Amino acid sequence: MRKIYFLLVISILSVLVIGCNSENSSENTEEGNSSNINSDFPEEDITTVVPYSTGGAGDISIRIMADLESEYLKGNSMVVDNIDGAGGIKGQTEVATAEPDGYTLLELTTSAVNNPMIEDTEFDIDSFAPIAMFSFEPELLVVPKSSDIDSIEDFLDYAKSNEISVNTSGFGTSHHIGALVLENEADLKFNYVHADSGGDQIQQLMGDHAEAGFLTYGSASEALEEEEIKPIGVMSDERIEQLPETETFEENDLDIEYGPFRAMAAPKDTPEDVLNQLYDMFDGIINDEDFKNKMEDSGYEVEYGDKEELQKQMDTQTEFMEDVLPMLEEE
């Protein structure tokens, strides 16, 4: 009887121990799933595709980032790969169709939203998993220094009675969309002159080959500082620090806040544990004071946004594109 009682006690204790271990194991598994961190990633260099040629604003920003990322990438490096062509489509396609392992990333810009909506592409904006935004620049309306236009009011008055020539950095670019947004909001009609780049735009304006243009401060900072072109208005909710005398469109009863963003993204099927590592890495890189200072020295202001904020920017850009798509189709 004593033996049976002893065996019964041992059995009950064994069940309790196994149950506790199982519960602890379950809790540990749940904690592991909640963090979803692959501590081994990255084990090699990460390639970031810049879908534009070298020397532009996007390229400069990523190269500044690549100069300081090794401490955040566990001693590995960021390799910058410029894959230019078809207004960004070539490089964007490269990443959209890449192995989704976290080792091939894209510098995501507004053109990744625009391109699939106006061109036949192998991807759409949902082909990318947002990681983080590091820059937002409001569109800036500029004119040649010889122009009689000195304010948004002057511009609107002139444009209402004249089909003003406005240059952009290319069909479907953020500068083009920004101009279309103003056209739509103010009931105007522009004659577009599409250049091949922001640099070509500035040359056209300096040579009086266009009456106005849409740029960003970062892409036009040198020409603005040298007073080779005049800033007229900015598409932001408040005046920008670099041009405190330049009024916003909101100050002229036009509720327009628009401009290109720059961000990091991965192919859409990248595993969650790898994405979590990437979120942490780029949170550190983008908020690094050295990165911010070098960006500012190059004429770019850092504006950090996590994956949710970046998704909002992508959704907003999609809405803008849907509004002006009929106008694009008419060109």
Side-chain angles (χ1 to χ4, degrees), residues 49-74:
V49 172
V50 176
Y52 310 106
S53 59
T54 58
D59 177 62
I60 291 169
S61 299
I62 293 297
R63 290 184 185 278
I64 291 173
M65 194 178 286
D67 282 342
L68 55 82
E69 91 301 312
S70 61
E71 64 179 286
Y72 298 102
L73 270 64
K74 302 178 182 177

Side-chain angles (χ1 to χ4, degrees), residues 167 198-209:
N167 76 354
D200 288 342
Q201 272 188 271
I202 293 169
Q203 292 300 315
Q204 287 178 354
L205 290 162
M206 289 170 58
D208 291 319
H209 300 303

Side-chain angles (χ1 to χ4, degrees), residues 95-102 104-106 127-129 265-270 275:
V95 178
T97 57
E99 184 72 24
D101 54 11
T104 303
L105 306 180
L106 174 69
S127 300
F128 305 104
K268 69 174 180 179
D269 292 325
T270 302
L275 285 174

Side-chain angles (χ1 to χ4, degrees), residues 245-256:
E245 301 301 315
T246 302
E247 58 192 0
T248 70
F249 283 89
E250 286 194 4
E251 292 175 68
N252 289 264
D253 300 321
L254 287 168
D255 186 16
I256 303 174

